[in-house]
Every structure is written in C-alpha cells, then in structure tokens.
Amino acid sequence: MDVMDLERKPTILILGAGYGGMVTANQLTKELGHNEVNVTLVNKHDYHYQTTWLHEPAAGTMEPDKTRMKISDVLDTSKINFIEDSVVSINREDKQVELENKGSVDYDYLVVALGAQAETFGVPGVYEYAYHKWTVNGAREIKDHIEYQFSRYHNNEDMRNGDLTFVVAGAGFTGMEFIGELTERVPKLCEKYDVPREKIKMYVIEAAPTALPGFDPELVEYAMNLLENRGVEFKINMPISEVHEHGVTLKDGTEINTNTVVWATGVRGNPIIEEAGFESNRARVKVDKDLRAPDHEDVFIIGDCSLVINEEADRPYPPTAQIAMQQAVTCAKNLRALIKGGDLEEFTPDIKGTVASLGGKEAIGIVGNKKLFGTSANFMKKMIDNRYLWILGGPGLVMKKGKNPF
Ligand code: FAD
Ligand code: NAD
C-alpha cells in the first residue's frame, strides 16, 4: 500500500464521464466512504451520453436528447466532485491534469477514461470532409446534414449527381448499425420532402473481404441481405483511399459523388494519451493485468484508451462499452485496495456476446453460444441497452430513458 499522508484524504481524479468513468465513479461511492477519499470527475459536458446509441440520433431515428442525461441526475454529487471542463493534458511527473478553463487539478490516483476518436488509417480528407464524430453533437450534425440534402431537392436546379447519395465508410458494427437506421429514415424523408425513392443511393464501403470481419458468416449474410433489400449497395474488399469535398475515391480508382460520408472504420484512443507520453499503440495503452499503465502505480487506464489482449486469440479485444464497464468495476476495487490495503484484482473480460441493431425491429447477435436474428435479437439489444441504464441509475433511469424491447 502507498504511504499516504494520514491527515489528508487521497484524491482520485477520473477523466471522462462515459461508460468507464461513470461506472468507476458510481462504484467508488460504494467501495470507499466520503471521509476516506476525494473523488473528482472531469468531463467536457455536464451530461453523460450513451455512445452505443449514437447511430440512432445520427440517422434521425431517435431524438439526440434521449441519449444523454445530466451527470448530477445520475451520480451522487454530494460524494463526487464534478468539474465540467475539457482535459487539455496530463502531467504524469507532477501528478497534475491541465483543464481548458479551470486551471489544473492534482491527483494521487488517476483514472483515464477519455474514450476514442475516429481512426483514419492515413486516408486523406477524413477530418476535413467526412462526418466522423460519434458524440451527441456529432450525431446532430450528421442528422441535420442528411435532412438538408433532402430539403434542397425541390429548390435547387443545380442539384448535383450525388447530392442524394449517402456513403458509409466501414462495414464494422458502427457502420452496419448506422446504415440500418438510415434505411429506416430514408422513406420518411422521401415522404416529407416529396423526393422519389429511386433518387436515393446508399453505399457501404468495406476494405476487408467481408462485412463485419470476424463475425459469424451466417449472421453477416442475414444482415447484408436485409440491408440490400432495403436499398443498400455494398462494396466489399474495396478500401476508400481518399475523401474529398464532393465524394470518395476507392482503391480501384472508382469515384463516388456524394456530400455525405459517414466515417466508421474503427477507433483509436484519445490523443491526450499520446501527448502525455504514455507508451501506446494508436493512443491505446496496453495496461497491466490490474488495469494500471505499465510503470505507473498511480494511473489506471480503462475503456477505449486501454488495450487488453485476448490471450486465446492473441490479439486485442475490440474496444466496447461492455469491457469499459467491467474494467470500471475492477478499477474501483483496485483503487480501494490501494487506499485501504489488500490485493489488487486482475481484470479478465467476461464477454457475454455481441448484438447489433439493423434498424426497426431487426438485429443480429450472438449471446453465449446462441445466434439471434430479427426480433429476438432486437429484443436482446434493447434489453442490453436498458441493462446499462439500470447499472447506472437503477429502475428510475430505465423508466425515464429505457427502450421498449417489443
Ligand atoms: P466513452 O463512453 O466514449 O466516454 C468518453 C467520455 O470522455 C465522453 O463523455 C467524452 O465527452 C469525454 N471526453 C472526451 N475527451 C475529453 C476531454 N478532452 N476532456 C473531458 N472529457 C472528455 N460497445 C458495446 O459494447 N456495445 C454496443 O452496442 C456498442 N455500440 C456502439 C455504437 C456506436 C455508434 C459507437 C460509436 C460505439 C459503440 N460501442 C458499443 C463502443 C462503445 O461505445 C465504446 O467502446 C465505449 O463508449 C467506450 O467507453 P469509454 O468510457 O472508454 O468512452
Ligand atoms: P471496427 O474496427 O469494428 O470496423 C471498422 C471497419 O472498417 C472494418 O471492417 C475495417 O475493415 C473497415 N475499414 C478500415 N479502413 C477502411 C477504409 N479505408 N475503407 C473502407 N473500410 C475500411 O470499428 P467500428 O465499427 O467503428 O467500431 C468501433 C468499436 O466499437 C469496435 O470495437 C466495435 O466492436 C464496437 N462497436 C460495437 C457495437 C455492438 O456491439 N453492437 C456497435 C458499434 C461499435
């Protein structure tokens, strides 16, 4: 155990109020008393949002506000000191975090849970021309932009070929969930703006030889057939090599004209990780078994900023909310052990399965060994979404924000 000044309560500083940060903060209020520790949580906004729901507001099938909730409505802010501000940098030597507006905050223990940002793999034009921000404000921007394309249809004689073409980059889970929602939204927008349905084109462009690489082939086929029947065209085994103002260029030289590229080709950790000098791979730190950064006794890194190896498969687990929340529980227990004494736990993910929505009442998934299609998968997906609300805010939050599974 670290020798702490007994007169002074140790300070735990949590950065980011996403899945990892919120569950850590919540769990710490159970593991440690208010008189034993100061817990401070810093987040960019005064709200927490469900990153896992963002494909819905982005396509316009859910109100953006439904995905977010005030942090003070969910966490006990009499036990957790909440600071609304953006983290600018981490100074590991001085054990200090610099904020954009409110100066700096010292810590004894740091939990970095700052989430991810889009990975471009060096493709030019992504940050300039593609929609790549999976945040509440990013989702609003995508939704408004798509609707604007429809609203222009009858008012602009100079509508270009491609103005009503929508391109999704990457047929991973984010891309597939987003296009599923968009196929639900498009008929409604066509009706609202009197646009003939045949004017709309939707593409999903995937670099790998299959959509959802690594996922069960039967479920992948189910998803692709369903989406193709709703008007989606897949271009598989065909990386996007450039994004420009009015289109994308594919590896074989094909040009697709569009004003709307939604980028979903995977994630990297928060750049603050790299800037702080942690050894990392695409801004994700390969954490020790107890979730601390290597050679750092005082810094835990969880969620999308961390990298945990699946030893059976000999590759990293994909970054998910499922893992972030499980890490948060271990992280809180290990902080308790550091402060009050005891052994630190090793983190082992307990992967319950993967379920992805495809819009409307359709979804696919594997839970345990069971494959799920259609409405049963959709039921499961909604239950998973509600389960997290339950973990965070109990039945009250499920009543307020929960999804109807039927
Ligand atoms: P996040 O939940 O993203 O939270 C990061 C927090 O840090 C945010 O509140 C952000 O505002 C804050 N922040 C960022 N930078 C700063 C800064 N500089 N200063 C202050 N605050 C900052 N995973 C699943 O398990 N199941 C799913 O069904 C699923 N669906 C998904 C659907 C979509 C559309 C997307 C994009 C992802 C999905 N994922 C899913 C992945 C999952 O959302 C992430 O793995 C998870 O959100 C990671 O949790 P986190 O706590 O690391 O980060
Ligand atoms: P991903 O890595 O799962 O998929 C990205 C896809 O983009 C890959 O199939 C990749 O081959 C493709 N790609 C890469 N470069 C490309 C290029 N230049 N052109 C075309 N395609 C390209 O990433 P994601 O879908 O963004 O998801 C991020 C994380 O969130 C993953 O860990 C995922 O498992 C998780 N997630 C889970 C769910 C769910 O469980 N329902 C939903 C969404 C996201």
Side-chain angles (χ1 to χ4, degrees), residues 18 37 103 134 146 168 206 296 342 360 365 393:
V37 68
W134 293 98
I146 291 173
V168 175
E206 168 57 48
H296 291 72

Coordinates of all heavy atoms in Angstrom, one line a residue, residues 18 37 103 134 146 168 206 296 342 360 365 393:
G18 N -17.9 8.8 -19.6 CA -18.5 7.8 -20.5 C -18.8 6.6 -19.7 O -19.0 6.6 -18.5
V37 N -11.8 9.4 1.0 CA -11.2 9.8 -0.3 C -12.0 11.0 -0.9 O -13.1 11.2 -0.6 CB -11.3 8.5 -1.2 CG1 -12.8 8.2 -1.5 CG2 -10.5 8.6 -2.4
G103 N -8.1 25.8 -14.8 CA -6.7 25.6 -14.2 C -6.3 24.2 -14.2 O -6.7 23.4 -15.1
W134 N -18.4 10.6 -33.3 CA -19.5 9.8 -32.6 C -19.7 10.4 -31.2 O -19.3 9.8 -30.2 CB -19.2 8.3 -32.7 CG -19.2 7.8 -34.1 CD1 -18.1 7.7 -34.9 CD2 -20.4 7.5 -34.9 NE1 -18.6 7.3 -36.2 CE2 -19.9 7.2 -36.1 CE3 -21.7 7.5 -34.6 CZ2 -20.8 6.8 -37.2 CZ3 -22.6 7.2 -35.6 CH2 -22.2 6.8 -36.9
I146 N -28.0 15.4 -43.4 CA -28.8 14.5 -44.2 C -30.1 15.1 -44.6 O -30.5 15.1 -45.7 CB -28.9 13.1 -43.5 CG1 -27.6 12.4 -43.5 CG2 -30.0 12.2 -44.3 CD1 -27.6 11.1 -42.7
V168 N -21.3 5.2 -46.3 CA -20.8 4.8 -45.0 C -19.5 4.1 -45.2 O -19.4 3.2 -46.0 CB -21.8 3.9 -44.3 CG1 -21.2 3.4 -43.0 CG2 -23.1 4.6 -44.1
E206 N -16.4 -1.3 -47.7 CA -15.6 -2.1 -46.7 C -14.3 -2.5 -47.3 O -14.3 -3.1 -48.4 CB -16.5 -3.2 -46.2 CG -15.7 -4.3 -45.4 CD -15.0 -3.8 -44.2 OE1 -15.7 -3.0 -43.4 OE2 -13.8 -4.1 -44.0
H296 N 3.4 2.7 -13.9 CA 2.7 3.8 -13.3 C 1.9 3.1 -12.1 O 0.9 2.4 -12.4 CB 1.8 4.5 -14.2 CG 2.5 5.3 -15.2 ND1 3.1 4.8 -16.3 CD2 2.6 6.7 -15.3 CE1 3.7 5.7 -17.0 NE2 3.4 6.9 -16.5
G342 N -4.8 -4.4 0.7 CA -5.4 -5.6 0.1 C -4.8 -5.8 -1.2 O -4.0 -5.0 -1.7
G360 N -35.2 -0.5 -37.2 CA -36.6 -1.0 -37.0 C -36.5 -2.1 -35.9 O -35.9 -1.9 -34.9
G365 N -27.2 -11.1 -33.6 CA -26.3 -11.2 -32.4 C -25.9 -12.6 -32.0 O -26.5 -13.6 -32.5
G393 N -28.3 4.0 -13.1 CA -29.3 4.8 -12.4 C -30.5 4.0 -11.8 O -31.4 4.6 -11.4

